[in-house]
Amino acid sequence: MSDWNDKVIAEFRANGGQVGGHFAGQPLLLLHTVGAKSGQPRVHPMMYQEVDGGYAVFASKAGAPTNPDWYHNLLAHPHTQAEIGTDTVELVARVASGDERERIWSAQKAAYPFFADYERKTSRQIPVVVLEPAP
């Protein structure tokens, strides 16, 4: 884990899910994953969007040419947790496709135009992952 992520995670937990800096005023969660190769627990701060029945997160990696590690972790281990505010919720991840993906992704780009910048920087389609409450 990077020092930057560690600082964001500590600030999130110390302030009931609120942080300053880059994420100030933006919807942020802490996604817990299990390493696809290592099997080690990981925590990833990221923006989210509330969607019907859950939350959407975006494997943008700031427009890098490859998907982030957390995306591969969720594909390997879709049962996960997220810290949202002061709550920790059990979730199941699935990758959105078709009209659902387009609707969620378009809303994210409209609300946060830097996501459109990420899209322009890469040739890959940025995955949209829906996190739904675990049964």
Side-chain angles (χ1 to χ4, degrees), residues 1-2 4-6 8-10 12-13 29-35 40-46 70 73 80-83:
M1 187 74 53
S2 74
W4 186 83
N5 276 357
D6 289 342
V8 172
I9 292 165
F12 181 99
R13 290 176 172 160
L29 60 74
L30 301 181
L31 181 68
H32 293 242
T33 66
V34 175
Q40 295 299 308
R42 308 277 186 225
V43 180
H44 316 271
M46 66 186 66
W70 64 259
N73 294 349
T80 189
Q81 294 180 325
E83 295 173 55

Side-chain angles (χ1 to χ4, degrees), residues 58-68 72 101 105 109 113-128:
F58 308 91
S60 66
K61 200 175 177 183
T66 59
N67 290 322
H72 300 289
R101 182 204 174 273
W105 180 239
K109 291 187 297 182
F114 53 87
F115 278 91
D117 294 338
Y118 299 159
E119 184 176 53
R120 283 189 289 276
K121 290 166 111 178
T122 187
S123 60
R124 67 184 171 89
Q125 182 179 70
I126 294 174
V128 173

Side-chain angles (χ1 to χ4, degrees), residues 29-94:
L29 60 74
L30 301 181
L31 181 68
H32 293 242
T33 66
V34 175
K37 294 178 185 175
S38 70
Q40 295 299 308
R42 308 277 186 225
V43 180
H44 316 271
M46 66 186 66
M47 288 181 62
Y48 71 93
Q49 179 189 135
E50 287 192 41
V51 297
D52 289 341
Y55 311 92
V57 293
F58 308 91
S60 66
K61 200 175 177 183
T66 59
N67 290 322
D69 291 343
W70 64 259
Y71 174 75
H72 300 289
N73 294 349
L74 286 178
L75 293 179
H77 305 284
H79 292 271
T80 189
Q81 294 180 325
E83 295 173 55
I84 303 170
T86 58
D87 297 325
T88 300
V89 292
E90 300 286 331
L91 301 162
V92 178
R94 64 176 177 79

Side-chain angles (χ1 to χ4, degrees), residues 92-103:
V92 178
R94 64 176 177 79
V95 179
S97 62
D99 291 343
E100 178 190 37
R101 182 204 174 273
E102 186 56 34
R103 178 178 41 80

